[in-house]
């Protein structure tokens, strides 16, 4: 082996080595390459150099007698002692150098003196556990009547109507409605955090609150239909159909929930509504709001059955409804039975031929109930006069 070969090869490598040009290579990460990293054009500017932070070199004086009197009106003695101890623990020079007030556009909009508890920031203070009373119960009717009798006996007779109304409101607020610990009623132990406050800012819009309406989505329904919250409580609703719908797209299968709901007041109003959403509960609420919005009057003969026999077809479902005498009952399919309960129909017979698809059956039944022909309309079309025989011949005794 020639010993000069390794040295000659090493020298050849040194002579033939060239500098590679800088070629922009593809990055497989979001950070920029080294040549692209440049120094900032402008230097960093501090707020102190611009004069946005103002410092005061003078020492902070002690509280005067007038200032202490004002503080005593706002704080208790224990809080004042805590404030004085905290101020003594902080050096005045550090307070003058670091306790500065900013006046730049990004400063805080308020100076908090920590005298109020803010639910959005601070930890809520809950009532003590000793306020809980396991034997707490509501007063009976006799006990409440006794309190009312005592209130009326102590009320002077020469009070005006406005004064009497204010006195009764004060009685409602101050009177106890339970028997047990007073703290358990006045300040009960609650494990729920308090509600966030509403800011007095015109740029922030809060939904309107209506007494008796807990769901904000029901407010537009009340405005569109003219119903009151008391009317909503009287309505009877039923979720008839609930199933899953799958839509095949290029992104895959999208699953949603479908709901069909009926609503009525039991006095001739009936409506059906459909809803689709990602969650079953959202679909039910949407269909219920749609059913209340679509409520329409249903004609009833004697408030119990329909006027004559009617028939309707939706899709491949054919529904036939027949009137029946008093005491016959509702003998029909389950979906039609629930619709009759909501509409206030007590005597009816129904027959479903061909397809028995639940959705089409419900829609066909609603269409059939809306297709009834009243005797007044038939008489007007024929140019005849309608007379009730029962009132004329039997004195309305039938």
């Amino acid at each position: 082996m020639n010993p000069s070969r390794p040295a000659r090869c090493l020298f050849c490598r040194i002579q033939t080595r060239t500098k590679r040009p800088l070629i922009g290579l593809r990055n497989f990460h979001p950070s920029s390459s080294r040549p692209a990293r440049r120094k900032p054009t402008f230097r960093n500017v501090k707020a102190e150099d611009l004069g946005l932070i103002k410092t005061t070199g003078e020492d902070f004086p002690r509280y005067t007698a007038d200032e202490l009197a004002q503080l005593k009106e706002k704080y208790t003695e224990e809080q004042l002692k805590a404030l004085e101890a905290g101020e003594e623990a902080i050096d005045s020079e550090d307070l003058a150098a670091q306790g500065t007030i900013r006046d730049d556009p990004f400063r805080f909009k308020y100076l908090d003196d920590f005298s109020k508890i803010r639910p959005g920031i601070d930890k809520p203070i809950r009532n003590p556990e000793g306020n809980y009373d396991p034997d707490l119960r509501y007063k009976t009717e006799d006990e409440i009547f006794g309190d009312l009798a005592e209130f009326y006996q102590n009320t002077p007779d020469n009070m005006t109507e406005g004064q009497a109304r204010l006195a009764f409101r004060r009685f409602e607020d101050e009177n106890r409605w339970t028997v047990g610990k007073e703290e358990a009623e006045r300040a009960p132990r609650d494990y729920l955090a308090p509600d966030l406050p509403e800011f007095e800012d015109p740029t922030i819009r809060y939904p309107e609150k209506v007494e008796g309406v807990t769901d904000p989505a029901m407010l537009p329904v009340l405005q569109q239909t003219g119903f009151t919250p008391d009317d909503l409580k009287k309505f009877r609703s039923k979720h008839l159909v609930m199933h899953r719908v799958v839509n095949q797209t290029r992104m895959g299968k999208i699953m949603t929930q479908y709901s069909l709901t009926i609503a009525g007041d039991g006095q001739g109003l009936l409506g059906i509504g459909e809803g689709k959403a990602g969650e079953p509960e959202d679909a039910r609420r949407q269909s219920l709001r749609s059913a209340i919005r679509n409520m329409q009057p249903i004609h009833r003969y004697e408030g119990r059955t329909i006027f004559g026999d009617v028939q309707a077809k939706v899709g491949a479902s054919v529904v036939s409804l027949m009137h029946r005498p008093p005491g016959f009952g509702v003998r029909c399919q389950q979906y039609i039975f629930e619709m009759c309960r909501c509409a206030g129909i007590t005597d009816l017979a129904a027959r479903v031929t061909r397809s028995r698809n639940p959705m089409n059956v419900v829609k066909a039944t609603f269409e059939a109930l809306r297709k009834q022909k009243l005797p007044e309309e038939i008489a007007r079309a024929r140019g005849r006069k309608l007379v009730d025989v029962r009132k004329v011949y039997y004195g309305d005794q039938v």
Side-chain angles (χ1 to χ4, degrees):
M1 182 176 178
N2 191 359
S4 62
R5 184 174 181 180
R8 185 171 63 252
C9 293
L10 180 60
F11 296 149
C12 295
R13 291 179 182 178
I14 295 175
Q15 293 177 359
T16 57
R17 186 177 181 181
T18 57
K19 186 178 180 181
R20 294 183 179 179
L22 293 176
I23 302 175
L25 302 178
R26 183 179 178 183
N27 293 331
F28 294 96
H29 49 82
S31 61
S32 59
S33 59
R34 286 182 176 275
R37 300 176 187 174
R38 301 177 180 176
K39 294 183 179 181
T41 306
F42 304 98
R43 63 185 182 85
N44 295 333
V45 180
K46 298 182 178 180
E48 297 177 356
D49 300 339
L50 297 178
L52 298 178
I53 300 178
K54 299 178 182 179
T55 59
T56 56
E58 58 184 6
D59 295 338
F60 293 90
R62 295 283 183 178
Y63 290 117
T64 61
D66 297 337
E67 293 176 349
L68 287 175
Q70 295 178 1
L71 291 175
K72 287 181 180 179
E73 296 178 358
K74 195 172 184 179
Y75 301 99
T76 60
E77 295 182 359
E78 297 178 355
Q79 292 176 344
L80 283 177
K81 292 180 181 179
L83 290 174
E84 294 176 357
E87 292 181 358
E88 291 179 358
I90 301 175
D91 191 2
S92 60
E93 296 182 358
D94 296 341
L95 189 62
Q98 301 179 7
T100 56
I101 300 176
R102 296 173 53 181
D103 57 356
D104 57 294
F106 302 99
R107 67 184 183 277
F108 292 104
K109 295 183 180 180
Y110 62 91
L111 294 176
D112 196 351
D113 56 354
F114 304 105
S115 61
K116 296 182 180 179
I117 297 176
R118 304 181 184 275
I121 302 174
D122 302 329
K123 183 178 179 181
I125 296 179
R126 308 184 188 279
N127 297 324
E129 296 184 0
N131 293 3
Y132 174 71
D133 186 7
D135 300 330
L136 189 70
R137 64 172 181 84
Y138 286 100
K139 289 184 177 180
T140 61
E141 294 183 359
D142 297 338
E143 294 174 346
I144 295 176
F145 288 151
D147 296 342
L148 286 173
E150 184 180 356
F151 166 73
Y152 285 119
Q153 289 177 1
N154 299 332
T155 303
D157 299 336
N158 56 353
M159 294 180 65
T160 61
E161 183 179 356
Q163 294 176 353
R165 190 180 296 108
L166 291 176
F168 188 75
R169 289 181 181 176
R170 194 180 302 108
F171 166 75
E172 289 181 339
D173 297 337
E174 297 178 358
N175 186 52
R176 290 194 57 191
W177 304 100
T178 59
V179 177
K181 283 186 178 180
E182 184 177 0
E183 296 82 3
E185 180 182 356
R186 305 295 185 187
R189 174 68 178 180
D190 191 5
Y191 293 93
L192 299 178
D195 297 334
L196 294 178
E198 295 185 359
F199 299 96
E200 298 179 358
D201 191 349
T203 59
I204 302 176
R205 297 183 60 183
Y206 296 96
E208 299 181 12
K209 294 183 178 180
V210 179
E211 186 177 357
V213 179
T214 57
D215 188 5
M218 292 300 295
L219 184 60
V221 178
L222 298 179
Q223 296 174 350
Q224 295 172 4
T225 58
F227 294 130
T228 61
D230 295 335
D231 296 337
L232 294 181
K233 296 177 182 178
K234 298 177 182 178
F235 289 160
R236 180 193 297 271
S237 62
K238 185 72 174 179
H239 302 287
L240 297 182
V241 182
M242 190 71 189
H243 58 76
R244 185 179 62 177
V245 181
V246 180
N247 183 21
Q248 180 67 46
T249 63
R250 63 184 182 88
M251 302 299 294
K253 294 182 179 180
I254 301 177
M255 300 182 184
T256 55
Q257 298 291 333
Y258 171 84
S259 176
L260 178 65
T261 307
I262 60 173
D265 63 344
Q267 300 294 332
L269 280 180
L270 181 66
I272 61 175
E274 298 176 297
K276 278 187 179 181
E279 298 295 333
E281 188 63 28
D282 296 339
R284 292 193 189 98
R285 293 178 182 175
Q286 184 179 352
S287 61
L288 177 60
R289 294 193 295 266
S290 180
I292 296 175
R293 194 182 295 110
N294 298 334
M295 290 177 67
Q296 297 182 12
I298 302 298
H299 300 296
R300 298 179 301 161
Y301 177 69
E302 296 180 349
R304 58 175 185 81
T305 185
I306 61 176
F307 287 88
D309 299 345
V310 290
Q311 186 177 5
K313 177 184 177 184
V314 173
S317 300
V318 180
V319 176
S320 302
L321 304 180
M322 289 79 72
H323 68 285
R324 287 295 181 262
F328 183 82
V330 181
R331 305 180 187 180
C332 55
Q333 201 183 45
Q334 55 177 345
Y335 304 110
I336 305 176
F337 176 81
E338 295 294 343
M339 296 182 69
C340 292
R341 287 185 61 187
C342 292
I345 298 175
T346 57
D347 299 313
L348 184 77
R351 181 179 299 165
V352 181
T353 57
R354 298 184 61 185
S355 175
R356 288 179 173 80
N357 185 285
M359 295 180 291
N360 292 342
V361 168
V362 173
K363 296 176 183 178
T365 305
F366 186 72
E367 184 178 346
L369 292 174
R370 292 287 299 159
K371 284 174 58 177
Q372 298 182 62
K373 290 186 178 181
L374 300 179
E376 293 82 359
E377 298 177 358
I378 299 175
R380 193 182 306 110
R382 296 180 180 179
R384 302 291 182 177
K385 183 181 180 181
L386 182 66
V387 177
D388 193 347
V389 181
R390 297 176 302 175
K391 293 183 179 180
V392 177
Y393 296 100
Y394 300 101
D396 202 9
Q397 298 297 325
V398 179

